[in-house]
Amino acid sequence: MTARMINPSSVPVRQSSIRAHNLALLLNTVANSADPPSRAALATVTGLTRATVSALVDDLIAGGLLTELDPPPRTGAGRPAAGLALTAAGPAGLGCEINVDYLAACVVDLTGAVRQRFTEHADQRPAAAPDALAALGRLAARARLAAEAEGLVVAGMALAVPGLVSPAGLVRVAPNLGWQDVDAPALLRGVPEIADLPVVVDNEANLAALGELRVAGAEATFLYVSGEIGIGAGLVIDGELYRGVRGWSGEIGHLTVYPDGRPCRCGSRGCLEQYAGQEALTADEPLAAAALGIALSAAVNLLDVPMIVLGGAYALHFERLRAGIETELRRRVLTAGLAPVTLRAARLGTDAAVRGAADSVIRGVRDDPAGWLRRAG
């Protein structure tokens, strides 16, 4: 039997798929508008009919995703149109972070505002993974309870981890925590107060980069470097996070800066982490700045990124590290004289990863409002 080629344009599209697409189109158009657009304005911008826009907007309002604002005072003939905005009283994202020396949880509403924030400072290295995740789960439960007391509905949970994470959420290795093949979602489901929430797990630098992207606006291509006990990086290209083939890109902390240098927990020697991790940074800032400059120069020569954003502890120490890093960038980056690299501190500071985790949940709602409406209904 001879196979027949099918013209994609002849394949029928389900009505539900069209509706889902248009709901997401309208919600994201409102979210990305500088001023609250009216229904008529949405029809003009999206090309949908006014009747379609009106019906879909009614669904988004009923589902707690949009709110209709009071129209401005009349200044001439005709009735002023009411604008539409994301609601701050609907679904919210629960973001959590486990790092070597702290646990964090926060809740962000659909507008991107932080509604709850909890942190517990404690060394997590002595704790077994189940115990550490149980403690984090309890912190997450506190944040969820406080958010729900405000009338929010937590749509899901995202966890930021300093390690390599598989697409299924398995933490393959987190050297600084001593974890290997830890099923973080399963362990978190053991906390009754959050057991019903969908959970995603990602590398903390990836989520921090996404959090920084949301506040960075037009800065759509940059390398985000997170300085904690360990060091991770997230690469954003044209507004999208680059994860690599297996999702494990960004392990800049294990880039070799001194080949015969200090032994590292990963089993190698001379890794950046041993010279510019948080503990090494406290001991010798000039050496940390130089090591960072060497590693970042290699990254720029390889990737040709126009901007480097320093987060975590680096954001706190940015002004003291800047000169040493920039000295190495000028010395080692091939194109330094043609197109100097912009170096800046993360705008979200040390909150970037936990904020990015919560934002990723909200982004999921915005990208699939039809799915949220089915759940809420």
Side-chain angles (χ1 to χ4, degrees):
M1 181 176 180
T2 303
R4 181 170 60 90
M5 296 298 292
I6 298 176
N7 182 345
S9 64
S10 69
V11 178
V13 178
R14 293 180 182 273
Q15 191 66 31
S16 60
S17 298
I18 296 173
R19 179 176 180 273
H21 169 82
N22 290 339
L23 284 168
L25 175 63
L26 291 173
L27 188 61
N28 279 296
T29 300
V30 172
N32 295 322
S33 296
D35 299 306
S38 65
R39 296 179 188 227
L42 285 177
T44 300
V45 170
T46 63
L48 300 173
T49 67
R50 290 198 178 196
T52 298
V53 168
S54 186
L56 294 177
V57 164
D58 285 343
D59 289 343
L60 292 169
I61 291 173
L65 299 173
L66 288 182
T67 185
E68 202 150 28
L69 307 175
D70 292 333
R74 182 180 298 182
T75 57
R79 179 183 176 186
L84 294 159
L86 299 175
T87 179
L94 173 59
C96 295
E97 180 184 4
I98 183 165
N99 222 305
V100 174
D101 55 350
Y102 66 89
L103 305 173
C106 80
V107 176
V108 171
D109 67 28
L110 197 61
T111 71
V114 177
R115 303 292 290 271
Q116 300 293 333
R117 177 76 167 83
F118 296 89
T119 306
E120 289 183 0
H121 292 279
D123 191 345
Q124 302 302 313
R125 285 170 288 193
D131 296 331
L133 287 166
L136 181 66
R138 291 190 292 271
L139 194 68
R142 285 176 57 196
R144 181 185 190 182
L145 183 63
E148 290 177 343
E150 293 188 62
L152 297 172
V153 180
V154 175
M157 174 178 170
L159 170 62
V161 177
L164 302 180
V165 183
S166 76
L170 183 71
V171 182
R172 298 307 305 267
V173 60
N176 292 314
L177 290 172
W179 291 9
Q180 188 165 357
D181 293 330
V182 173
D183 191 344
L187 291 170
L188 287 169
R189 283 193 289 271
V191 179
E193 295 87 349
I194 58 172
D196 61 314
L197 294 178
V199 178
V200 297
V201 183
D202 204 344
N203 174 266
E204 58 92 17
N206 282 344
L207 289 172
L210 289 175
E212 196 66 20
L213 175 64
R214 190 186 65 78
V215 300
E219 295 167 4
T221 298
F222 59 89
L223 180 68
Y224 179 94
V225 182
S226 176
E228 305 290 349
I229 300 295
I231 306 171
L235 177 61
V236 175
I237 302 173
D238 294 334
E240 297 294 331
L241 182 69
Y242 176 76
R243 295 180 176 276
V245 174
R246 289 171 290 271
W248 298 343
S249 69
E251 290 299 316
I252 197 171
H254 298 287
L255 190 68
T256 301
V257 288
Y258 300 114
D260 297 320
R262 301 168 185 167
C264 182
R265 296 179 186 89
C266 73
S268 186
R269 300 186 71 90
C271 293
L272 175 63
E273 224 167 71
Q274 297 305 309
Y275 296 89
Q278 191 171 312
E279 292 170 337
L281 174 64
T282 302
D284 192 338
E285 275 189 357
L287 180 59
L292 265 172
I294 293 170
L296 294 176
S297 297
V300 172
N301 282 331
L302 179 65
L303 301 171
D304 187 28
V305 288
M307 175 176 292
I308 297 169
V309 179
L310 297 183
Y314 296 153
L316 299 177
H317 294 260
F318 180 74
E319 291 304 327
R320 296 198 295 273
L321 293 170
R322 183 173 191 168
I325 295 171
E326 290 184 337
T327 295
E328 296 298 336
L329 290 173
R330 287 192 298 271
R331 177 184 300 158
R332 298 173 184 274
V333 173
L334 182 64
T335 57
L338 301 173
V341 179
T342 299
L343 185 71
R344 71 164 177 82
R347 294 191 175 126
L348 293 177
T350 57
D351 279 351
V354 72
R355 283 279 303 276
D359 283 340
S360 72
V361 177
I362 292 306
R363 186 173 180 174
V365 173
R366 283 174 40 180
D367 289 344
D368 183 24
W372 168 255
L373 295 178
R374 286 193 298 271
R375 287 175 56 192

